[in-house]
Amino acid sequence: MVLLISGASHTGKTLLARRLAAKYGWFCLPMDLLKMGLIRSGNTALTPENDADLTAYLWPIVREMVKTAVENGQDLIVEGCYIPAGCMLDFDERYAAGVRHVCLVMSREYILNHFEDIKRHANAAERRLDDSYCTLESVLEDNAICLEQCRKYGCEYILIDGEYNVDIEL
């Protein structure tokens, strides 16, 4: 089984993926590691700021890794903001049966009431060398877009609206 965890930046994807991997003994692939490996090795001229282009570049690679994991019966968690909301459309029935996609989305109210907490937990799972791009406005916009895309493509999502208590049963 492969679990895809997507969502906007700062929603807790990496921390959740790590917790689930430890709980279930699954392998975890953070797409940020793949992204930085390809950037630092010179295999792409993209930069960490090229989000839309990075999705177009990374998703086909990860999609084929997911198919390989399904074919081999491997349990895998892939997390990152570079998983498109319509990703399940890329899998025929043979693969889709072995893939689950869950998106983490923070509600507008949650963000407005907890923005300082969101910023404070920015380094909970990884060290962010520069987090200046994370503003109230960007977090509101990114989560609104994620929610809209989830609804458009009918993907499963967890709406973080009260207490931050996110878990996924596998």
Side-chain angles (χ1 to χ4, degrees):
M1 171 67 146
V2 176
L3 174 64
L4 304 173
I5 302 174
S6 65
S9 182
H10 292 75
T11 55
K13 298 176 299 298
T14 305
L15 192 57
L16 175 62
R18 282 186 183 178
R19 277 195 359 252
L20 293 172
K23 179 178 178 180
Y24 293 104
W26 288 24
F27 180 73
C28 180
L29 172 65
M31 287 182 73
D32 279 343
L33 292 180
L34 178 60
K35 169 189 77 178
M36 292 311 298
L38 291 165
I39 289 171
R40 289 180 172 173
S41 67
N43 282 289
T44 180
L46 296 172
T47 69
E49 289 78 34
N50 300 118
D51 284 345
D53 293 333
L54 282 165
T55 299
Y57 181 68
L58 293 172
W59 175 244
I61 297 166
V62 172
R63 178 191 64 222
E64 298 308 314
M65 293 170 73
V66 167
K67 288 179 181 178
T68 302
V70 171
E71 290 167 353
N72 289 302
Q74 296 171 321
D75 297 322
L76 173 65
I77 299 169
V78 179
E79 66 84 11
C81 59
Y82 307 108
I83 300 170
C87 67
M88 294 303 291
L89 298 173
D90 290 343
F91 301 112
D92 63 28
E93 295 171 5
R94 180 174 80 157
Y95 295 108
V99 179
R100 180 177 174 197
H101 175 215
V102 179
C103 185
L104 303 183
V105 181
M106 293 177 175
S107 73
R108 178 176 178 76
E109 293 73 25
Y110 181 85
I111 296 165
L112 292 172
N113 292 325
H114 297 277
F115 184 69
E116 291 306 316
D117 294 331
I118 294 167
K119 289 287 283 187
R120 192 171 23 262
H121 289 96
N123 291 310
E126 60 190 11
R127 293 188 194 127
R128 298 177 191 267
L129 300 179
D130 179 12
D131 199 38
S132 61
Y133 69 91
C134 179
T135 65
L136 177 61
E137 294 75 21
S138 69
V139 173
L140 286 167
E141 180 181 359
D142 291 349
N143 279 272
I145 291 169
C146 278
L147 182 57
E148 176 185 317
Q149 291 294 301
C150 286
R151 289 177 173 158
K152 176 180 177 179
Y153 289 101
C155 69
E156 180 182 352
Y157 63 91
I158 296 172
L159 185 64
I160 302 157
D161 193 35
E163 292 294 314
Y164 191 102
N165 187 16
V166 177
D167 195 16
I168 298 173
E169 291 296 321
L170 302 176

